[in-house]
Amino acid sequence: QKEVEQNSGPLSVPEGAIASLNCTYSDRVSQSFFWYRQYSGKSPELIMSIYSNGDKEDGRFTAQLNKASQYVSLLIRDSQPSDSATYLCAVMPNTGNQFYFGTGTSLTVIP
Amino acid sequence: DAGVTQSPTHLIKTRGQHVTLRCSPISGHKSVSWYQQVLGQGPQFIFQYYEKEERGRGNFPDRFSARQFPNYSSELNVNALLLGDSALYLCASSLLGDQPQHFGDGTRLSIL
């Protein structure tokens, strides 16, 4: 079983819609969760970090964490064509010495 | 402030050769991690160093080694290169080992 699983997509949404990206993880004691955006040919860029159950909002982005269900999601409101990228979910276990990344979900926002 | 810098940006090697990749962390960051990313996959953890000590090692063969210097910069060394080592090698730094990591632009390594 993979440590972190994401639907590889591709996910397509129209401009202005809400994009919902999901991630599940296997290590029940994981403490830290991160979302990265990676444009084609570029390196990952940190979008959000979340450590506690519930929602965390930053501009158009909302991260949601449910530790009981081992589930973390990212919502992008008012999606823009510039949001088209691969979104990577990363989980840090309790040991705190490495990130486990999912394979990423490819998002395309259609103008 | 400068971000994480990696060198070189691109590298072409042949099978059996050795390669050294370099990374300078964000100023003030004491932790450096190395990742390998092949096309279509997420980054795979190779090493983490904090205060010049190895704190974590991923599932990579002994051909892969790394070190961190007193100024917190780091090198990743790969010996006896194989075709399968062709990938984007990413360096990430953080204030502490369990903090959000910030990535450099990566070194794209091609093995012929």
Side-chain angles (χ1 to χ4, degrees):
Chain A
Q1 183 184 5
K2 291 184 178 179
E3 299 280 351
V4 180
E5 299 210 38
Q6 296 181 252
N7 186 334
S8 62
L11 174 66
S12 294
V13 299
E15 184 174 354
I18 295 175
S20 178
L21 306 162
N22 303 315
C23 171
T24 57
Y25 59 95
S26 61
D27 185 350
R28 185 170 293 277
V29 298
S30 293
Q31 295 294 321
S32 307
F33 307 86
F34 307 88
W35 283 99
Y36 286 82
R37 176 176 63 199
Q38 187 172 27
Y39 292 113
S40 180
K42 301 294 186 182
S43 63
E45 172 192 11
L46 179 68
I47 300 175
M48 297 276 290
S49 57
I50 186 166
Y51 304 95
S52 304
N53 280 327
D55 295 359
K56 179 181 178 181
E57 187 175 317
D58 184 0
R60 296 186 296 112
F61 298 96
T62 299
Q64 299 175 318
L65 175 61
N66 184 325
K67 290 186 179 181
S69 300
Q70 295 175 239
Y71 173 94
V72 57
S73 65
L74 180 70
L75 300 178
I76 306 175
R77 292 182 301 281
D78 188 24
S79 295
Q80 301 297 309
S82 59
D83 295 327
S84 298
T86 295
Y87 289 80
L88 295 162
C89 172
V91 175
M92 178 173 283
N94 222 14
T95 54
N97 63 0
Q98 68 170 292
F99 281 16
Y100 292 99
F101 281 87
T103 55
T105 298
S106 175
L107 171 67
T108 299
V109 180
I110 303 168
Chain B
D1 284 344
V4 178
T5 57
Q6 292 186 244
S7 63
T9 54
H10 295 87
L11 204 51
I12 299 174
K13 292 284 188 178
T14 57
R15 283 176 295 175
Q17 284 189 312
H18 163 90
V19 68
T20 297
L21 310 181
R22 295 178 174 83
C23 172
S24 293
I26 293 171
S27 178
H29 284 193
K30 298 182 177 181
S31 178
V32 169
S33 296
W34 288 95
Y35 294 85
Q36 180 195 67
Q37 187 176 27
V38 299
L39 195 62
Q41 299 294 318
Q44 295 295 309
F45 173 76
I46 310 176
F47 287 107
Q48 185 190 80
Y49 278 78
Y50 177 72
E51 289 281 14
K52 303 178 289 295
E53 297 288 329
E54 181 184 305
R55 291 299 182 93
R57 183 184 183 116
N59 189 25
F60 280 80
D62 291 343
R63 299 185 295 108
F64 289 76
S65 63
R67 55 180 175 168
Q68 187 177 33
F69 299 99
N71 66 354
Y72 303 110
S73 67
S74 178
E75 283 183 354
L76 175 69
N77 295 283
V78 187
N79 294 323
L81 288 166
L82 303 174
L83 291 177
D85 294 331
S86 295
L88 178 67
Y89 287 85
L90 294 162
C91 174
S93 76
S94 58
L95 281 169
L96 301 173
D98 60 351
Q99 297 292 305
Q101 297 185 343
H102 300 270
F103 286 85
D105 290 337
T107 294
R108 189 161 298 281
L109 176 63
S110 298
I111 310 302
L112 303 179

